[in-house]
Amino acid sequence: MNGRVALVLAALALTACSNSSGPVPAAPGPAPAADALPANGAFIGRAWVSTQRGHPQGSMIVFLPDHSLIMDSCFEAYRISEWGVAGDNIRWREDTIPIEASITMSHPNELTLQIVGQEGRHTYMAASVPYVCPEMPR
């Protein structure tokens, strides 16, 4: 297993198992209803690897059913955000910037995000298991 993926999984496990006595502060971001899912939720619960030129190698996104969004790449720090539904679109925050996108799946293993207000599309393919990050270019 890739070291970065192991680190993410370990952090998630530690977070889930922590026995904090105080309330957990709410993270800024969308506040989706517990059952709010997009009409086509086939992208949820799968690891998606970017096929986009110009994205860091091994860029990956995972939309979890609990509305957590994991964004990672082989050579950058990972991010965990909250995602939600906005009409026919999905939304999340990157730092303090709200992002909204439409999702299309022309094939069960292909995902396209069209960010509202941007011209380019972000394309992904379902990650094969096991997946290992490519070597860093020298």
Side-chain angles (χ1 to χ4, degrees), residues 14-25:
L14 288 173
T15 301
C17 295
S18 68
N19 189 11
S20 173
S21 59
V24 177

Side-chain angles (χ1 to χ4, degrees), residues 33-86:
D35 59 353
L37 293 176
N40 178 2
F43 66 94
I44 299 170
R46 299 183 71 187
W48 298 96
V49 179
S50 178
T51 59
Q52 192 89 18
R53 287 188 165 262
H55 277 198
Q57 284 192 326
S59 291
M60 178 184 351
I61 59 172
V62 182
F63 294 91
L64 297 175
D66 71 353
H67 292 276
S68 297
L69 169 60
I70 300 171
M71 303 171 84
D72 196 6
S73 79
C74 295
F75 309 112
E76 294 182 343
Y78 66 90
R79 167 192 313 270
I80 301 174
S81 301
E82 184 179 18
W83 71 274
V85 177

